[in-house]
Amino acid sequence: MTDQEWMRLALREAREALAAGEVPVGAVLVKDGRLLAVGRNRREAGGDPTAHAELEALRAGAEALGDWRLRGCTLYVTLEPCPMCAGALVVSQLDRCVFGAADPQKGCCGSVYDLPADPALGGRCRWTAGVLEAECRALLDGFFRARRAASAPG
């Protein structure tokens, strides 16, 4: 499958997050052309600040492999990883991260900072930005637009 096809699966997970009232971010973890794990935001449901889509997918992938080292794996995620998630990419020894929409406020795969490439941390996780960016961005923008409208004084 292509990067775009894997990202479509991540978008499916993001839509599931949206349906559950979460910020619509989804992720899929792939190794050797095989789907290992999926994840989506679950912070609201679990009251867990670390329940980001990326971490959900990385945890499930490590369990599926029986190893915390995710060498040879690629993570597809609809939004650029935050500092916490970008750090997880590094410590899990992930080979590659592919994301859709950049996050100019918190993104740590090139927008605010390039944590995976920091030589002090090993700098081994490559990343690719902008895969199905318009679709990923539209889902997020729609969610936040609806949230703002719901909280506006009426």
Side-chain angles (χ1 to χ4, degrees):
M1 287 180 42
T2 66
D3 285 351
Q4 290 79 11
E5 290 168 315
W6 289 118
M7 188 62 74
R8 287 191 202 296
L9 292 179
L11 275 162
R12 183 183 69 196
E13 291 301 313
R15 288 184 191 98
E16 290 290 326
L18 177 64
E22 302 279 353
V23 175
V25 178
V28 298
L29 185 67
V30 175
K31 183 171 185 174
D32 299 326
R34 179 174 61 96
L35 179 65
L36 280 181
V38 299
R40 61 180 176 258
N41 276 4
R42 297 179 195 269
R43 292 188 312 171
E44 300 300 329
D48 179 356
T50 69
H52 288 203
E54 299 96 321
L55 296 185
E56 297 268 318
L58 295 175
R59 286 182 188 122
E63 185 175 332
L65 290 173
D67 191 351
W68 63 267
R69 294 168 195 86
L70 299 176
R71 295 177 188 142
C73 294
T74 299
L75 180 72
Y76 294 86
V77 61
T78 57
L79 179 64
E80 181 180 0
C82 71
M84 174 180 66
C85 294
L89 304 180
V90 173
V91 298
S92 69
Q93 300 177 14
L94 188 79
D95 277 4
R96 183 172 175 237
C97 175
V98 177
F99 64 89
D103 184 347
Q105 294 178 320
K106 297 180 189 107
C108 280
C109 287
S111 288
V112 174
Y113 182 61
D114 191 356
L115 195 147
D118 189 323
L121 303 175
R124 294 193 177 114
C125 182
R126 297 171 292 122
W127 53 263
T128 302
V131 175
L132 299 184
E133 181 176 11
E135 291 177 54
C136 295
R137 173 67 49 216
L139 193 59
L140 288 158
D141 287 350
F143 171 81
F144 287 112
R145 191 171 26 259
R147 181 182 267 184
R148 283 189 300 275
S151 66

